[in-house]
Amino acid sequence: AQSVTQLGSHVSVSEGALVLLRCNYSSSVPPYLFWYVQYPNQGLQLLLKYTSAATLVKGINGFEAEFKKSETSFHLTKPSAHMSDAAEYFCAVSVATGFQKLVFGTGTRLLVSP
Amino acid sequence: DAMVIQNPRYQVTQFGKPVTLSCSQTLNHNVMYWYQQKSSQAPKLLFHYYDKDFNNEADTPDNFQSRRPNTSFCFLDIRSPGLGDAAMYLCATSRDKGGLYEQYFGPGTRLTVT
């Protein structure tokens, strides 16, 4: 079975500071990994995904994540936070075989102050 | 633009009064999902259709049912809504793309039960 742990239900940064949102996964088989962003009263938008092609994955809005198998991690980073980055972020895992269902983490709310 | 559409965006229903939420897609994806997301929680998968095959999650209450009359449309029926069913309901779609079932989400329907 797969699972995801997101450390920190809330993360606060200042505008222009580094954003680091943590995600650790557990999977008995090679995983696919995803980061989604959700703005208030909106659906989920895919930021980026890891599908084993490259360990450093670049996504939309300047975000990137690095897959580290030895650490079972897939942390999300952005060099410089913008006010518009304030949202809820979900890490998710699925298996890389057959039909996949997503298993979501509990989410991290990113707060950006001026 | 190809997309996932949910109507209505906001729905108010009375305790015990049946309600139907609608999802349509122009992506021509063969898989459609319904998720329930309560405040400050991760989305929880209720069920999915793989083509015409309905797949219920083991812990989805009997109060929740779904219909998929054709590839483009999928409905979520709540037979007797309780106060605990107030949530955001998210529809998503996917298809097999090189072994990856990447999910595309609609904007959601926020259900209020009075």
Side-chain angles (χ1 to χ4, degrees):
Chain A
Q2 297 73 44
S3 66
V4 170
T5 301
Q6 291 185 242
L7 292 175
S9 58
H10 292 79
V11 170
S12 295
V13 299
S14 300
E15 193 172 20
L18 171 71
V19 175
L20 171 60
L21 304 183
R22 298 180 186 272
C23 173
N24 288 89
Y25 71 92
S26 171
S27 178
S28 56
V29 297
Y32 290 142
L33 292 159
F34 308 82
W35 275 100
Y36 286 88
V37 61
Q38 186 177 34
Y39 298 99
N41 288 313
Q42 296 291 327
L44 275 68
Q45 181 182 10
L46 182 66
L47 277 177
L48 49 80
K49 60 181 182 282
Y50 166 75
T51 59
S52 79
T55 56
L56 182 61
V57 181
K58 294 186 183 298
I60 62 171
N61 301 340
F63 285 93
E64 64 181 38
E66 186 171 8
F67 173 73
K68 292 186 176 181
K69 185 178 179 180
S70 60
E71 300 177 8
T72 60
S73 68
F74 190 57
H75 302 329
L76 182 71
T77 60
K78 182 174 180 177
S80 176
H82 193 271
M83 296 295 290
S84 61
D85 294 326
E88 187 89 20
Y89 291 80
F90 291 96
C91 182
V93 64
S94 68
V95 295
T97 55
F99 176 68
Q100 304 121 33
K101 290 191 264 188
L102 289 174
V103 175
F104 286 93
T106 51
T108 298
R109 182 167 298 277
L110 178 65
L111 306 168
V112 183
S113 57
Chain B
D1 282 344
M3 53 198 305
V4 181
I5 302 161
Q6 290 189 245
N7 286 306
R9 294 293 315 280
Y10 298 89
Q11 176 75 58
V12 180
T13 191
Q14 292 178 336
F15 182 93
K17 185 175 181 181
V19 66
T20 295
L21 309 183
S22 156
C23 176
S24 63
Q25 52 125 343
T26 60
L27 297 162
N28 201 31
H29 286 173
N30 64 321
V31 188
M32 294 187 78
Y33 312 75
W34 278 105
Y35 289 86
Q36 179 192 63
Q37 186 181 25
K38 296 189 175 180
S39 182
S40 301
Q41 295 184 21
K44 176 180 178 296
L45 182 64
L46 294 173
F47 26 61
H48 74 272
Y49 274 94
Y50 195 110
D51 296 322
K52 294 182 180 180
D53 294 333
F54 177 71
N55 297 271
N56 202 28
E57 292 300 298
D59 56 353
T60 298
D62 293 340
N63 200 24
F64 291 86
Q65 297 182 339
S66 185
R67 297 169 283 136
R68 188 179 186 186
N70 53 52
T71 300
S72 301
F73 285 85
C74 195
F75 300 98
L76 170 62
D77 300 310
I78 308 177
R79 290 192 298 182
S80 182
L83 297 179
D85 297 326
M88 174 76 92
Y89 290 87
L90 297 168
C91 175
T93 71
S94 73
R95 68 173 177 90
D96 184 356
K97 191 173 180 182
L100 173 66
Y101 287 83
E102 181 179 326
Q103 293 188 26
Y104 293 76
F105 285 82
T109 295
R110 182 164 295 284
L111 178 69
T112 301
V113 182
T114 61

